[in-house]
Amino acid sequence: MPTTLSIMLKYHPAASVPADVPRKPFNARGANVRRCQACQLPEQGCICAYKATAAADCEFWLIMHHDELFKPSNTGRLIADVLPTTEVFEWSRIDPPAALLERLADERYQPYLVFPADEPEDQARLLPFQRQTGKTPVFILLDGTWRQARRMFRHSKWLQSLPLISFTPERSSGYGLREAAEESHLCTAEVGIELLKLAGEPAAEVLAHYFHVFNVHYLAGRRGTHQDDAEASRQWLLAQQA
């Protein structure tokens, strides 16, 4: 029987999760919508044709709250779509993923835990982004609601030794599917875009266009608005596939 972790590592789609895998039902608005089996958007708003992959000299490891896997509005999956090296692990306060612990101990990687350094003890862990020769930078994202991410950060002793990286976004979030706790809070994909920019990676532009298409199409399906605002990004992504 597939484990929850193996499903998360595959990271698509919620509709294919076997019935015997424990899950929190998705009962929010849109639960009964007919969705694409891959991108999880409503069928008329499917964005699979615009999926574009990119290479980067850094990696993302997502530590995901269990509930987040089954939400069609999750944007961490967009990072995994664009950057195939992305890995996803299910968060556990008591039993951290063994595979993740192995990677954290691997000298080939240069991990940064991405989280705002709001407290003095957190600020002492802040490090500026700087590439180390022979190591692959890794950005570790806590993927969940803001309340879930804060709990994951505060209650995971196995994360407390990691250096922190933080940044001040240049603008407020453009994500229209969930209300942010604060104006400065970004969704997971937006954080990924900012980190790729920080690392000087051209993949930032790919993810930015892909996120824009996702955001516009999802909102169109929810509110009945037009998808026209994403036309430039759709054409840009199609050109990358040519």
Side-chain angles (χ1 to χ4, degrees), residues 43-56:
E43 290 180 348
Q44 66 272 24
C46 173
I47 63 171
C48 291
Y50 309 107
K51 178 179 174 181
T53 59

Side-chain angles (χ1 to χ4, degrees), residues 104-122:
L104 290 174
D106 194 324
E107 293 295 328
R108 295 174 298 174
Y109 297 112
Q110 177 191 352
Y112 292 95
L113 180 60
V114 184
F115 201 80
D118 296 332
E119 303 296 335
E121 62 268 24
D122 300 332

